[in-house]
Amino acid sequence: MPAKLSVNLNAIAMLRNRRDLPWPSVTGLGAIALEAGAQGLTVHPRPDQRHIRFSDVPEIRALLDDRFPQAEFNIEGYPTQDFLALVDAAQPEQVTLVPDDPMQPTSDHGWDFITNREMLAAIVKRLKKGGMRVSLFCDPDVSEEQIAAARATGADRVEFYTGPYGGCYDDSEKAAKALKDLEKTAQLVHAAGLGINAGHDLTVANLPALARAIPQLAEVSIG
């Protein structure tokens, strides 16, 4: 089955937030993406609300419930108590847990699953009890031991951080090496029984090669 596309709305929200105006509309452009064939929407609300605002989350939930009930809502973030309360209220189909400091510009690394296994296991258990699929942000070149620790948390999937691959847009040799790292790690993840998502700096130009390298790819997040 081809990987599903979830459109990330953060950049749209960042444009809107430049001025105190309601456009571009986060839900309006989310609806356009879904009408065009996307299978889901992704947001990463941060404490400073510099792009997605907390108030956007229930509006996106309502859009999906009212007009696109077949689509999925994916909420990403570091698992603070405020973040967990937000996802408890929104009930997204998927929660993607990322290890970045809430104030850093963007996600740029995956979890150390061995060090954070117990903490993640408790949060994964809470979210899955609420009926949500859980994905954990993962570096593109981790060891088999790290993947085993990720599996031990009880998570359903990992999401590969594809920033290093996306950053090789002007160097085909480096891109091939980055792709090989992703392919190798994907084999470990698949063997461990985890699903595979991918996100960060993916485009219509570099996505086909990624999909060929990782046929098990379940979802990609672009935006």
Side-chain angles (χ1 to χ4, degrees):
M1 179 179 293
K4 294 183 177 180
L5 170 62
S6 184
V7 173
N8 192 312
L9 299 174
N10 283 9
I12 302 303
M14 188 175 292
L15 287 173
R16 176 203 58 193
N17 293 353
R18 293 179 305 167
R19 299 172 67 185
D20 188 21
L21 295 169
W23 56 77
S25 168
V26 171
T27 53
L29 286 169
I32 289 172
L34 294 169
E35 288 168 349
Q39 288 92 9
L41 299 176
T42 291
V43 297
H44 186 157
R46 292 180 179 272
D48 61 7
Q49 303 187 70
R50 62 178 177 266
H51 35 64
I52 288 295
R53 296 170 180 160
F54 302 149
S55 59
D56 291 322
V57 173
E59 292 181 0
I60 296 168
R61 177 77 272 173
L63 169 71
L64 295 171
D65 290 344
D66 295 345
R67 295 180 53 192
F68 304 96
Q70 78 286 356
E72 291 196 348
F73 195 9
N74 173 46
I75 301 181
E76 300 181 344
Y78 185 84
T80 64
Q81 288 304 311
D82 286 343
F83 175 82
L84 294 173
L86 186 69
V87 299
D88 282 343
Q91 289 291 294
E93 283 68 34
Q94 180 172 264
V95 178
T96 300
L97 301 178
V98 298
D100 52 332
D101 183 291
M103 301 310 294
Q104 73 184 66
T106 187
S107 304
D108 60 8
H109 65 282
W111 288 99
D112 180 334
F113 297 115
I114 294 173
T115 299
N116 295 285
R117 179 170 52 196
E118 292 186 9
M119 180 270 285
L120 288 171
I123 294 168
V124 168
K125 182 178 180 181
R126 168 179 170 171
L127 294 172
K128 292 184 70 172
K129 188 176 181 181
M132 292 166 265
R133 182 196 311 129
V134 182
S135 180
L136 305 177
F137 211 50
C138 178
D139 284 324
D141 56 350
V142 297
S143 67
E144 189 170 358
E145 291 75 18
Q146 285 282 349
I147 296 303
R151 183 72 182 91
T153 68
D156 303 287
R157 299 180 183 180
V158 300
E159 178 178 321
F160 286 148
Y161 168 53
T162 51
Y165 170 60
C168 298
Y169 63 91
D170 59 350
D171 190 324
S172 59
E173 187 174 333
K174 286 186 178 180
K177 170 62 169 62
L179 204 57
K180 185 60 72 173
D181 288 340
L182 286 161
E183 183 179 7
K184 180 181 178 181
T185 307
Q187 292 170 355
L188 295 175
V189 171
H190 183 64
L194 290 162
I196 302 172
N197 296 342
H200 243 266
D201 302 325
L202 295 176
T203 68
V204 293
N206 63 27
L207 186 55
L210 180 70
R212 288 193 296 270
I214 309 177
Q216 307 92 348
L217 201 57
E219 177 185 296
V220 293
S221 174
I222 296 180

